Each structure stands twice: as structure tokens, then as C-alpha cells.
């Protein structure tokens, strides 16, 4: 049975059951990824940016013969933002290939259509069943990045310490656990906005104006995701010349997520990229003792970033794609298929 589900009011048993399904999916599809923990999972599933909405459904099995709560074996949510619905679907490996994934997508797609949105986007991970699944539903690939993973156990910390100081003397680096201080928000947002002009099309969410940046930092905190920032400041003008952002989610604190790394165009060629990333790893080592890995996503064309990541020891892991589909066509196709 598929029913609409609100994680804010769901029982702890239901939240635990979604976690069990998520971890079964990870074990089947991404066995190298760490399992998730229940910490702040409810908030992770319910908190959104101002102006966005997330609608969720679950597929619940029949109650077990001996009593107790019925397990949740499928979950779908759609995040409505701008003019697009961003979909995430999970089906427990024990019940796959029985049409549940398709049913969950149809349920969410009908709502997205009713809400007046025109397209649905989804992140699809390379070398997993999701590729065949979304292709069979008529989704097409828009964009592909490579996920790379750095095992902190392999890092040469002495070399990294040297990299962190090998920056032109016209700059200095600052570390901000929790996010940039309020007096730097405007300069920080300006640096992000400038790079957006030249490097659009990223998969990761970015924030460009000061209020949106504040909202996005606040949303991260509410979802149990701790942001860390290293900034390169230009001594003479005080402008933000470069920044790198890493988020440590309380749901999987052994593996952090690299978000944006930006060097503003006028400040490229001074060793900032390598230095801010090296400094970040050094800071994380003491700030997050449980951390063992950092993962990052890069466009395959971004050769400069890939080169720095390779020097730091990142290993390419797998493709990470963005697929999309026209909602009306999807609903029509799935309704005809039934
Ligand atoms: C992708 C996923 C939702 C599919 O769920 P499902 O219930 O097995 O899908 P369905 O039974 O509805 O399959 C519908 C169609 O998709 C296609 N499909 C599904 N799995 C496929 C696979 N492994 N290979 C090729 N095609 C596949 C088939 O055409 C299938 O129709 P058929 O069974 O009649 O041939 C499920 O595998 C899943 O949860 N994957 C993990 C999702 C994810 O990426 N999570 C993020 C990482 S945690």
C-alpha cells in the first residue's frame, strides 16, 4: 500500500524502518558507502529551504503475522523548487522488480503534474539498477559528474601541511566551522555569484545572494548537516578570493561531502585552490575525529579541479548523473503502461 507520509509526525518506528530500507539499498547498490544513522534523520527528511516543499510517500508491507509494526519497503519524495520537482525513490532490494518503483514514481509524478510543475529531475548513480529503471521510464541524461572519494588513511599529512601554506603572500586563509561569520556573508555570496556566471550547470545546490546563503546555511544546520568553510582573503582589498565548503552530516559522520570550491577569476594562478583544500583537510582532522573519508563531485571537463583532487589523493569512484523527464509525458506513459 502506497500512502502519503509526513516525516515530521511519523512514529519513531516508521523513521527507523525507512532507515533500514535506506541501509539495505546502500548495502546492495553502494556497498563502499557508510550506512546511515538515525540521528536527525527525521529533520533530514522534513526540513527544506524557505519557499520549497517536500512531499513524501511510503509503501508499507502487511503487518508481520506475529504482530508489530509493518515495515516500510519503499519511499519516494519530491522536492518542489523553482519550476522542477526533484525526485528520490528507494525500494528495498528484497521487493525489487515487482513494479513498486514504477508505482512510487507515478504517485509522485501525478502530484507534481497537479501542482503545475513541468519537469522532474533525479540524481542517478552509475553502475546501479537506477540507470535501467529511469531509462525505462523515459528519463534522459542531462549531465554527468564523477564522484571521487578520499580515504584520509592514505593522506600524507606532512605534504598536506606544506600545500596549505604554499599560497601567494598576498592572501591569507581562514577557517570557519559552522559557516562564514555574518560580516563575511556579503563578500562570500559575491564570490559564489561571480563563478556562477562562468560555471553554471552544477548538480550541487549553491547559494548566490546573501539572504539565500543565510537560509541555506540555516537549512543545513536544521537537517543535521554541519558546514565547514575555508576562505582565502585578499589582503589588500579584503575580498573573498576563494572558498571551499565541506559538510559533515550527522547521519554519516565518517564520510563528509565536499560542496563548492571556488577561486574567483582574478585570483586564479596563486595556489589558492590547493591551499584551501589542504587547510580544510587539516582542520577537519581535529574538528571531526570520526571522519575517515571525504567525497566530492566534479564535472569531467573540470581538469584543473580534477588535477588538484588527484594530488590530494582522491580516487575516482563512479558516475553521478542528472536525469530529467517532462512530467506530462511521464504520467501519460505510466498510466498507459498500467
Ligand atoms: C531503481 C529502483 C527504484 C527500482 O525499483 P523497482 O521496484 O525494482 O523497479 P520496478 O520493478 O518498478 O521496475 C520498473 C522497470 O524499470 C526497469 N528496471 C528496474 N530495475 C532494473 C535493473 N536492475 N536493470 C535494468 N532495468 C531495470 C525495468 O524495465 C523494470 O520493468 P520490468 O521489471 O517489467 O522489466 C530500485 O532499484 C532502487 O531503490 N534503487 C536505489 C535508488 C537510488 O539510487 N538510491 C540512491 C542511493 S541510496
Amino acid at each position: 500500500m502506497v500512502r502519503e507520509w509526513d516525516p515530521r509526525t511519523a512514529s519513531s518506528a516508521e523513521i527507523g524502518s525507512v532507515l533500514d530500507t535506506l541501509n539495505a539499498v546502500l548495502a546492495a547498490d553502494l556497498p563502499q558507502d557508510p550506512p546511515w544513522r538515525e540521528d536527525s534523520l527525521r529533520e533530514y527528511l522534513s526540513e527544506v529551504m524557505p519557499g520549497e516543499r517536500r512531499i513524501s510517500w511510503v509503501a508499507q508491507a502487511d503487518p508481520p503475522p506475529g504482530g508489530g509494526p509493518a515495515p516500510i519497503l519503499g519511499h519516494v519524495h519530491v522536492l518542489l523548487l523553482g519550476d522542477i520537482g526533484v525526485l528520490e525513490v528507494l525500494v528495498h532490494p528484497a521487493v525489487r522488480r515487482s513494479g513498486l518503483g514504477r508505482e512510487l514514481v507515478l504517485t509522485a509524478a501525478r502530484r507534481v503534474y497537479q501542482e503545475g510543475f513541468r519537469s522532474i529531475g533525479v540524481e542517478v548513480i552509475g553502475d546501479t539498477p537506477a540507470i535501467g529503471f529511469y531509462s525505462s521510464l523515459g528519463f534522459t541524461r542531462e549531465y554527468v559528474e564523477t564522484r571521487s572519494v578520499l580515504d584520509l588513511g592514505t593522506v600524507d599529512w606532512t605534504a598536506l601541511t606544506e600545500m596549505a601554506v604554499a599560497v601567494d603572500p598576498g592572501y591569507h586563509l581562514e577557517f570557519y566551522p559552522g559557516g562564514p561569520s555574518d560580516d563575511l556573508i556579503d563578500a562570500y555570496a559575491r564570490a559564489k555569484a561571480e563563478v556562477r556566471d562562468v560555471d553554471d550547470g552544477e548538480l550541487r545546490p549553491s547559494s548566490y545572494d546573501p539572504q539565500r546563503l543565510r537560509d541555506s546555511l540555516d537549512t543545513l544546520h536544521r537537517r543535521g548537516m554541519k558546514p565547514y568553510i575555508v576562505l582565502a582573503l585578499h589582503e589588500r582589498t579584503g575580498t573573498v578570493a576563494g572558498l571551499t565548503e565541506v559538510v559533515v552530516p550527522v547521519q554519516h559522520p565518517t564520510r563528509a561531502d565536499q560542496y563548492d570550491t571556488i577561486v574567483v577569476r582574478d585570483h586564479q594562478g596563486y595556489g589558492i585552490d590547493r591551499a584551501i583544500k589542504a587547510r580544510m583537510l587539516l582542520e577537519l582532522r581535529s574538528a571531526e575525529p570520526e571522519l575517515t573519508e571525504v567525497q566530492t563531485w566534479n564535472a569531467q571537463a573540470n581538469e584543473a579541479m580534477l588535477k588538484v583532487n588527484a594530488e590530494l589523493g582522491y580516487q575516482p569512484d563512479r558516475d553521478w548523473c542528472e536525469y530529467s523527464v517532462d512530467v506530462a509525458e511521464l504520467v501519460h506513459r505510466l498510466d498507459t503502461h498500467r
Side-chain angles (χ1 to χ4, degrees):
M1 180 196 57
V2 173
R3 64 178 167 87
E4 197 166 332
W5 184 75
D6 187 345
R8 287 171 300 183
T9 52
S11 68
S12 304
E14 285 179 352
I15 297 283
S17 191
V18 168
L19 177 68
D20 291 344
T21 289
L22 169 63
N23 281 334
V25 165
L26 286 171
D29 295 351
L30 298 169
Q32 311 298 327
D33 281 41
W36 282 41
R37 304 176 184 176
E38 199 160 338
D39 310 54
S40 295
L41 184 59
R42 184 188 297 280
E43 290 73 19
Y44 180 86
L45 294 170
S46 31
E47 294 292 341
V48 291
M49 290 273 285
E52 294 177 357
R53 271 187 304 149
R54 187 185 285 113
I55 312 172
S56 309
W57 294 261
V58 290
Q60 202 154 14
D62 294 331
I72 289 173
L73 298 175
H75 176 244
V76 58
H77 61 228
V78 64
L79 183 67
L80 300 174
L81 58 127
D83 59 355
I84 189 171
V86 178
L87 190 72
E88 274 189 55
V89 185
L90 291 176
V91 172
H92 195 292
V95 295
R96 286 182 180 173
R97 297 308 284 266
S98 60
L100 180 54
R102 193 189 287 120
E103 186 184 348
L104 290 169
V105 170
L106 177 59
T107 305
R110 280 207 183 109
R111 177 66 71 83
V112 174
Y113 182 68
Q114 284 162 8
E115 298 274 352
F117 289 75
R118 291 189 51 189
S119 66
I120 287 183
V122 62
E123 271 189 11
V124 183
I125 305 170
D127 281 334
T128 72
I131 298 275
F133 175 69
Y134 287 107
S135 304
S136 81
L137 301 185
F139 285 69
T140 52
R141 196 172 87 170
E142 298 290 334
Y143 193 67
V144 59
E145 291 191 322
T146 302
R147 179 177 76 167
S148 305
V149 180
L150 175 64
D151 174 355
L152 295 181
T154 66
V155 168
D156 177 345
W157 295 100
T158 311
L160 205 75
T161 308
E162 283 162 18
M163 281 186 205
V165 294
V167 65
D168 185 278
Y171 300 91
H172 75 273
L173 309 190
E174 286 180 4
F175 173 60
Y176 293 93
S181 56
D182 210 55
D183 57 314
L184 278 170
I185 291 268
D186 284 4
Y188 189 97
R190 262 199 308 280
K192 293 190 82 151
E194 180 184 321
V195 173
R196 188 190 189 194
D197 291 343
V198 292
D199 188 23
D200 214 351
E202 287 280 307
L203 269 182
R204 312 272 103 206
S206 278
S207 296
Y208 312 111
D209 72 74
Q211 190 49 45
R212 197 162 164 76
L213 185 58
R214 279 192 189 91
D215 289 343
S216 122
L217 289 163
D218 184 50
T219 308
L220 279 174
H221 284 290
R222 282 187 281 113
R223 298 182 83 200
M225 302 162 86
K226 203 189 302 173
Y228 289 94
I229 315 283
V230 171
L231 296 184
L233 293 164
H234 187 222
E235 299 280 6
R236 195 166 49 77
T237 57
T239 52
V240 172
L243 61 95
T244 189
E245 309 165 327
V246 169
V247 169
V248 181
V250 71
Q251 297 85 11
H252 54 88
T254 60
R255 185 183 283 202
D257 299 327
Q258 172 79 56
Y259 279 39
D260 281 350
T261 297
I262 287 166
V263 179
V264 174
R265 197 182 317 183
D266 286 351
H267 302 284
Q268 289 175 359
Y270 296 96
I272 291 174
D273 187 351
R274 186 180 290 102
I276 53 180
K277 283 193 157 178
R279 170 75 179 269
M280 175 65 88
L281 293 173
L282 290 165
E283 296 285 359
L284 288 174
R285 196 182 181 203
S286 40
E288 291 286 339
E290 275 196 87
L291 191 67
T292 56
E293 295 168 313
V294 182
Q295 56 187 353
T296 188
W297 292 261
N298 296 107
Q300 281 150 5
N302 195 344
E303 285 171 22
M305 193 78 83
L306 291 172
K307 183 164 173 282
V308 169
N309 286 344
E311 280 175 39
L312 294 167
Y314 279 90
Q315 299 288 330
D317 171 46
R318 57 176 77 222
D319 285 350
W320 215 268
C321 314
E322 194 176 70
Y323 279 51
S324 74
V325 72
D326 179 90
V327 185
E329 280 173 24
L330 176 66
V331 170
H332 178 71
R333 182 179 297 113
L334 288 174
D335 273 336
T336 321
H337 187 281
R338 280 157 79 87

